[in-house]
Amino acid sequence: MDEDEDAVLAVLDDEYAREILAHLTIEPMSVDELCTACEMSDATAYRRLNRLQEADLVTEQQELDPDGHHYKRYAAIVETVTVTFADGGYEVAVTRSATDPADRFTDLFEGLS
């Protein structure tokens, strides 16, 4: 098992991180929205979001509100995490969504042919 797999399993062991990830599979959310939805403090949310980003399970997007202020919204980029046990060991497989617009366009184009 490599460091990336360790990071994924470690972050998913955290109840708050799982709660955040579950909410982000519905729609992108700001930290304030996550704190309300998950009933946690800003500090807790930011710590878990950092860990989720390090494990490449969440991405951030810069947004502009109507007043001209910038803020971040976070989105889940993980679709599935599978742990397979075989031959005295185990493997962690992570399926991530295509978040890059170019990737989505390519998928759309290839689906037409």
Side-chain angles (χ1 to χ4, degrees):
M1 191 162 83
D2 64 28
E3 283 184 32
D4 292 339
E5 293 172 341
D6 282 338
V8 168
L9 290 179
V11 74
L12 292 178
D13 187 43
D14 185 284
E15 179 182 351
Y16 288 119
R18 289 192 311 270
E19 184 79 14
I20 288 171
L21 197 54
H23 277 85
L24 293 179
T25 62
I26 299 167
E27 65 180 338
M29 300 175 86
S30 68
V31 169
D32 287 343
E33 293 168 330
L34 282 168
C35 289
T36 300
C38 300
E39 299 180 2
M40 66 180 67
S41 70
D42 285 5
T44 299
Y46 278 114
R47 278 194 303 273
R48 290 346 185 264
L49 285 165
N50 285 337
R51 291 184 63 206
L52 287 163
Q53 285 180 292
E54 289 170 2
D56 201 25
L57 302 176
V58 168
T59 188
E60 67 182 43
Q61 307 159 344
Q62 192 76 12
E63 298 285 332
L64 184 64
D65 69 17
D67 297 330
H69 297 96
H70 291 85
Y71 67 99
K72 293 178 183 173
R73 291 178 69 80
Y74 297 86
I77 56 173
V78 63
E79 292 181 359
T80 62
V81 176
T82 306
V83 181
T84 306
F85 295 92
D87 300 322
Y90 62 95
E91 246 181 64
V92 178
V94 179
T95 305
R96 292 176 174 84
S97 58
T99 58
D100 181 46
D103 291 340
R104 288 195 302 263
F105 179 76
T106 300
D107 293 344
L108 176 65
F109 183 75
E110 288 175 351
L112 297 175
S113 51

